[in-house]
Each structure stands twice: as C-alpha cells, then as structure tokens.
Amino acid sequence: MTLKNGWTKMEFHINNLCCQLQAAEWRNKMMVKKIGKLSVAWMMVFTMALTLAGCGSAENTGEDNDRASVTEQNEDNRQQGNDSESDTSPQSAGNGSGKILVAYFSHSGNTKRIAEDIKEKTGADIFEIKTVDPYSDDYNTVLDEAKKEQKDNARPELSEAVENMEQYETVIIGFPIWWGDMPMAVYSFLDTYDLSRKNVLTFCTHGGSGLCGTDSNVQKEEKDAKVADGLAISDSSLDEAGEDIDNWLRDNNVGK
C-alpha cells in the first residue's frame, strides 16, 4: 500500500518510530541537562554552605583569639599597673633609726621655726643653708632677686658646708616657696651633696601655694634618693602646725 507522499505504510511506521526515538533522545538530553544544572546548583549551594560554615568557624576562632589576646593584654596591663603602683606608691622614708639631719633655708624666719621644731621632735642635727651673698631684707627686693635667679637657673654659692654628710641616713630639707618653687640656694645644696640611697623628706612654708611639686623636683635632682611626700605649712597656721608635723614624721617612721 502506497500513501499520498509516496511512502509505503511500512516506511511511514519506521519513520514515525525514528521520530519518536529522536524525540525520546532529545527529552533524555534535556533531562540530563536539567539534572546537570540542578546538580551544579545543589553543588553550589552545598559549597556555599560549607564556606559559610567555615567562615563562621574562622570568625569565631578569630573572635576567641581576640578575646584571649585582650584578656592576656588586660592581665599584662593589670600586672604592669600593679608593678607601677608598687614602684611609685608613697613610701615611709625612715626605719626609725639612723642619724637625721634637718637642713633648711629661711628668709623671714618661718621655715627656721618649723625646722627647729622638727629638730626637737626627732633629735636631729640641724644645718642652715646660707649663701655667700645674703639676700636683701626688703621683701620686694628679695622677690626680684629670687625671680632673676630662677630665670638664670642660678646656683648661688653657699657659705657653709655640712660635715660628713655620709653619716646621715635621713635628710629633712625645708624652705619657703618662692615664685612657685624652692629658692635656688636649695638647688645649690642639692647639687653639692649626693643623697643617693638616703631617706629624704621635704617641708615648705608658704603663703597659700602649697608644695608646688617641690618634693617631685627634689626627686628629679636626687634620682637615687628615697623621697617621701612633702609637708606644706602655710604662714598663717604656724602655731597649729605641731600635730601635722607629728603625723607626717610618724607616717614616715622618723622620730625619736
């Protein structure tokens, strides 16, 4: 039997079967492609999940390391702070024994008065710091002299010397506050004597300024000395200074 297109019935069925086979093959290829795409997609998802998990783990590890580093650093800082505090904390100057010297500079007599009181309370030797060229007795003139000496960083020559400074374990230095600092004659005294390993206490008389950091200035001049916190006594409270002096000496373990 011949069909309209010239094909026999057998040829028609064979052709139809080939078309069906080709269609099936095409569908299989498309299915493979889809499966491949899905597989790739799933692989990408899986890979991203692993990556995120790894990143999360790495971030956590980094965070833990940071925390550990901060903790260690804080502990180091606390240790350094403790070391620093133990190095810089106020210390008592004396041990209750050993010879004591009270060295003072006085112009109006106020500092001399306190120095003599400390001498009586401690049994110390006493030494007055005097300059070869005396300061003026006029108040305004001596202020000008003191200001010029400070500006020039002068070291006025001292007229007297301490005999055998080595014998003293504790040196107590007193002075008035002139222009926010010690008189330059006291700097001359510090330049003259090596107070290394000695216990050093400072006291000042003042009109309202306080110590002005002069105990720290003494420490800078005598780097190897043990300089304790100073005592400031205002000119208006000289009569009531006895208890403050007693407490100061006791706190520094200095006295009879």
Side-chain angles (χ1 to χ4, degrees):
M1 177 181 179
T2 302
L3 300 178
K4 291 180 180 182
N5 57 6
W7 287 2
T8 66
K9 189 173 183 180
M10 178 65 68
E11 289 175 337
F12 174 80
H13 286 298
I14 292 173
N15 184 68
N16 186 43
L17 180 60
C18 289
C19 291
Q20 290 178 5
L21 289 174
Q22 289 176 354
E25 184 179 0
W26 180 83
R27 285 195 297 269
N28 289 337
K29 288 182 180 180
M30 293 301 297
M31 182 66 69
V32 169
K33 289 183 179 180
K34 289 182 180 179
I35 292 173
K37 290 181 179 180
L38 289 174
S39 298
V40 171
W42 279 110
M43 286 296 296
M44 291 178 63
V45 171
F46 182 71
T47 301
M48 290 177 62
L50 289 177
T51 302
L52 291 173
C55 291
S57 177
E59 289 175 356
N60 290 337
T61 302
E63 184 178 358
D64 291 341
N65 288 338
D66 291 343
R67 289 174 181 172
S69 299
V70 170
T71 301
E72 290 173 359
Q73 185 64 44
N74 289 339
E75 290 177 354
D76 290 341
N77 291 341
R78 285 195 295 270
Q79 184 62 40
Q80 291 174 2
N82 292 336
D83 293 342
S84 176
E85 289 173 1
S86 59
D87 288 342
T88 60
S89 58
Q91 54 185 340
S92 59
N95 58 13
S97 62
K99 294 200 69 173
I100 303 170
L101 175 68
V102 176
Y104 72 93
F105 175 87
S106 186
H107 182 261
S108 66
N110 288 344
T111 306
K112 178 180 180 179
R113 178 177 170 182
I114 300 301
E116 291 177 341
D117 190 9
I118 293 174
K119 174 187 180 300
E120 293 301 318
K121 293 175 181 294
T122 61
D125 294 340
I126 196 164
F127 174 79
E128 184 175 3
I129 301 171
K130 296 179 180 179
T131 57
V132 171
D133 297 324
Y135 293 96
S136 173
D137 290 333
D138 179 71
Y139 178 75
N140 291 324
T141 302
V142 77
L143 287 180
D144 292 339
E145 292 173 345
K147 189 171 186 178
K148 184 178 186 305
E149 284 185 348
Q150 280 193 6
K151 182 179 179 180
D152 297 340
N153 196 28
R155 295 295 188 270
E157 184 182 356
L158 303 183
S159 61
E160 299 182 17
V162 176
E163 294 183 6
N164 190 17
M165 176 64 84
E166 290 76 13
Q167 67 180 312
Y168 297 106
E169 178 182 303
T170 300
V171 179
I172 303 174
I173 305 172
F175 44 82
I177 296 294
W178 282 2
W179 294 104
D181 201 355
M182 301 178 287
M184 300 312 292
V186 179
Y187 282 97
S188 296
F189 176 85
L190 295 173
D191 284 354
T192 302
Y193 301 102
D194 181 9
L195 304 183
S196 298
R197 296 176 296 281
K198 294 186 184 297
N199 306 307
V200 177
L201 285 75
T202 61
F203 71 91
C204 74
T205 55
H206 63 91
S209 63
L211 281 167
C212 292
T214 48
D215 46 1
S216 298
N217 293 343
V218 171
Q219 183 70 81
K220 292 176 183 177
E221 296 295 317
E222 300 288 346
K223 291 181 171 54
D224 295 323
K226 303 173 185 176
V227 181
D229 289 342
L231 174 66
I233 301 173
S234 67
D235 295 335
S236 60
S237 62
L238 295 176
D239 293 337
E240 298 81 29
E243 185 176 353
D244 289 338
I245 295 172
D246 290 339
N247 293 336
W248 178 62
L249 293 172
R250 183 176 61 252
D251 290 344
N252 289 286
N253 201 24
V254 176
K256 295 181 180 178

